[in-house]
Amino acid sequence: MNIWESFKVALSSIWNHKIRSILTMLGIIIGVAAVIVIVAIGQGAKKQMTDELFSTDKNVVELYFEPIQTEDEMDMFWQEPELTSEDLEFLGSVQGVKSVLATNQGWGSLMINDKQGEMDTITGVDGEYFTARNIQTVEGRPLNDRDNDGLNRVVMIDTVARDKYFKASDDAVGEIIDLNGNPYKIVGVYESPIPEQFRWSENGEMVMPRSVVSMMFGNREIEQLAIIADDPERISEIGMGAAAALTEHKKMEDGQYSIHDFSEYEKEVETVITMMTLFIGSIAAISLLVGGIGVMNIMLVSVTERTREIGLRKALGATRGKILLQFLIESITLTSLGGLIGIGLAAVGALLVTMLSPITAIISPVVVLIGVGFSAFIGIVFGILPANKASKLSPIDALRYE
C-alpha cells in the first residue's frame, strides 16, 4: 500500500466514524483557532499602538542643536546655526525622511469685530506643514509656499478659535483680524489636531507664513526643526540618520544635531504586546495539547478495533514500516483536517473581533502555515505510540483477536 492509498484509507476511516472523528478533532480545532485569533489580535493591537504613538502625523522626530563644549566653555554663550531653505531641501532627500517640518512661534493680542482676545499660540509654517501633519482644512484654503515667499499677511485659525470668535458668523474666511495692531486676512480654517482633553487653552491656535512670524516678532524663520519618518517602526533609526546627515551637511565642528531617543518607547510597546500574546497564546496552546492526547487516545482505540485487519495485512506481506506509516498518515490526516477547520474558524473569529472591537485583527500567513504544520506535527507526535503498537502486533495473535 503506497502513501496515496494509505491517505484514502485514512479518509475512509474518518468518514466512517464521523462523530468520533469530529469530537477527536475538536481540541485541535479550538486550539489552532484560538492561537491564530490571539496572535492576530496581538498583531492588530501592536499595529494600533504603533500607529497611535509613532505613525502618521504623530511620528514626528524633533531635531535640536547640541553644542559640544569643554569644561572651560560651559558658561560661554553659544549660538545655534542658521537654517536655510537649502538645508530643508537636503534634509528632505535623506533616506527614510518622508517630510520636513520647519516652524517658528509667536503670540499676540487679537481684535476681532471690536472683540478683544488673546492668541496664545501662533505657529509659523510653510506649504508642506499641512500635508506632512495630515491636518484637514475645513474652510477656505491652506497656506502655501507663495504665502511664505511673498510675506503675505494671511492667517489660518483652528476650529476652536473659529467657534470662539466667529460662532455667529456663517463663514470666517475673508474676515480681517487685528493682531498686535496689524491687519491679517483669514484664508482658511483647519481642524484642530489636539484632542479636547489635551487642550490647555480655550483660545485656539493660529498659523501664518513662517516668514511673516519672523518679521512680526523679530525671531528666526526656522526655530523648530522636525522630520516625519516614512516607517513608524524605525523612527529612532531614521531620526538619528537625519540628524547625522544634517550635521555633516552643515560641516559643524562645535556641535551636532541630535534627537530624543524613541527606542525605549518602541521596545516597551514591543515587550508589552509580546508578553500579552505569549501569555494568552500559551493558554490557548494547552487546548492543542489536550487535543493531541485525544488523538492518541482515539488512535489507540482504532488500533484495537482493527487488530484483525492488521493481522490480515501482515499475513499478506505488509511490513512493520507499512503498518506504522498507515496509522501515522491517519493520525496526521485527522489533526491536519482539524487544523484547516480551525483556520476557517479563526478567520471568522478575527472578522468578528474587527467588527465588534476597536482593534483590527491581522492574520499573518506565517501563523496560518505554522498552525497547519503544528497540527500535522501533533499528529506525528501523538500518533507514533498507537502506530508503533499496531506495527508490533504478531500476525497470528492479531488474527486470533476477537
Side-chain angles (χ1 to χ4, degrees):
M1 184 182 291
N2 57 31
I3 294 179
W4 175 243
E5 289 175 342
S6 297
F7 178 68
K8 289 194 294 185
V9 169
L11 288 177
S12 176
S13 177
I14 293 171
W15 182 255
N16 291 333
H17 303 88
K18 292 184 282 293
I19 301 299
R20 187 174 74 180
S21 298
I22 290 173
L23 292 175
T24 303
M25 290 188 293
L26 196 57
I28 304 295
I29 293 171
I30 294 174
V32 170
V35 169
I36 292 176
V37 169
I38 288 169
V39 173
I41 293 174
Q43 292 293 321
K46 177 184 175 182
K47 184 177 185 302
Q48 183 170 325
M49 289 181 69
T50 303
D51 289 344
E52 285 294 321
L53 293 174
F54 306 117
S55 67
T56 316
D57 63 319
K58 300 174 185 175
N59 64 339
V60 177
V61 184
E62 294 185 5
L63 278 65
Y64 62 92
F65 178 72
E66 186 176 38
I68 299 175
Q69 297 175 304
T70 64
E71 293 183 2
D72 297 334
E73 298 174 328
M74 289 301 291
D75 295 329
M76 293 179 61
F77 176 77
W78 57 270
Q79 187 173 9
E80 187 172 339
E82 196 82 40
L83 292 170
T84 65
S85 299
E86 181 186 358
D87 297 327
L88 302 183
E89 185 176 347
F90 167 79
L91 196 57
S93 66
V94 175
Q95 186 176 8
V97 175
K98 181 179 179 182
S99 304
V100 179
L101 298 173
T103 60
N104 53 11
Q105 297 285 333
W107 60 91
S109 57
L110 287 175
M111 183 67 69
I112 302 173
N113 297 330
D114 299 327
K115 183 178 180 181
Q116 192 163 355
E118 294 291 330
M119 186 55 63
D120 302 306
T121 304
I122 303 172
T123 304
V125 302
D126 57 19
E128 190 175 9
Y129 181 81
F130 294 91
T131 303
R133 296 299 299 268
N134 195 27
I135 295 177
Q136 303 299 315
T137 302
V138 295
E139 294 179 24
R141 67 167 178 86
L143 300 181
N144 53 48
D145 289 332
R146 291 192 300 274
D147 295 322
N148 193 57
D149 296 338
L151 293 171
N152 295 343
R153 289 180 175 268
V154 294
V155 300
M156 290 185 72
I157 59 175
D158 68 1
T159 47
V160 178
R162 193 234 185 276
D163 291 341
K164 178 171 183 177
Y165 296 109
F166 298 97
K167 197 168 187 178
S169 175
D170 293 333
D171 190 2
V173 176
E175 295 283 346
I176 304 297
I177 64 173
D178 187 291
L179 180 61
N180 290 350
N182 297 304
Y184 293 88
K185 182 180 179 180
I186 299 176
V187 295
V189 178
Y190 63 93
E191 187 72 37
S192 175
I194 305 174
E196 186 174 353
Q197 63 269 28
F198 297 121
R199 292 174 191 159
W200 62 276
S201 172
E202 298 179 354
N203 298 321
E205 297 185 351
M206 173 187 296
V207 296
M208 63 171 57
R210 191 176 60 221
S211 57
V212 177
V213 172
S214 176
M215 177 184 67
M216 179 178 175
F217 294 97
N219 53 2
R220 292 177 177 229
E221 186 172 331
I222 301 174
E223 290 181 323
Q224 295 87 32
L225 181 64
I227 65 162
I228 293 182
D230 61 6
D231 185 352
E233 296 187 358
R234 296 174 52 239
I235 291 180
S236 296
E237 178 186 341
I238 294 172
M240 287 187 286
L246 184 59
T247 300
E248 185 178 352
H249 175 73
K250 298 289 286 184
K251 296 181 174 62
M252 291 186 293
E253 298 179 354
D254 56 348
Q256 63 183 12
Y257 280 94
S258 302
I259 68 165
H260 298 291
D261 192 3
F262 286 89
S263 58
E264 290 301 319
Y265 297 101
E266 294 169 349
K267 288 178 182 177
E268 285 181 13
V269 172
E270 183 75 28
T271 301
V272 170
I273 295 297
T274 301
M275 290 299 293
M276 287 174 56
T277 303
L278 287 177
F279 176 72
I280 304 176
S282 62
I283 296 175
I286 293 175
S287 63
L288 281 175
L289 178 63
V290 174
I293 295 171
V295 170
M296 182 169 62
N297 182 56
I298 207 67
M299 291 305 298
L300 286 171
V301 173
S302 180
V303 169
T304 303
E305 289 179 345
R306 296 159 62 183
T307 301
R308 288 179 62 83
E309 175 194 332
I310 296 168
L312 182 60
R313 288 191 58 198
K314 279 202 166 187
L316 294 175
T319 63
R320 179 184 173 186
K322 293 289 186 181
I323 300 295
L324 181 69
L325 182 62
Q326 178 188 341
F327 280 90
L328 270 180
I329 288 176
E330 187 169 328
S331 177
I332 293 170
T333 302
L334 191 65
T335 54
S336 297
L337 284 175
L340 291 173
I341 296 172
I343 291 170
L345 190 62
V348 175
L351 181 62
L352 289 175
V353 169
T354 302
M355 292 173 59
L356 301 177
S357 74
I359 297 175
T360 301
I362 302 173
I363 296 181
S364 169
V366 176
V367 176
V368 171
L369 291 174
I370 291 174
V372 175
F374 193 62
S375 300
F377 177 71
I378 287 175
I380 295 173
V381 172
F382 289 95
I384 284 178
L385 179 61
N388 187 54
K389 180 183 177 182
S391 67
K392 286 183 177 180
L393 286 175
S394 168
I396 298 175
D397 293 339
L399 287 171
R400 288 176 178 173
Y401 183 81
E402 294 294 338

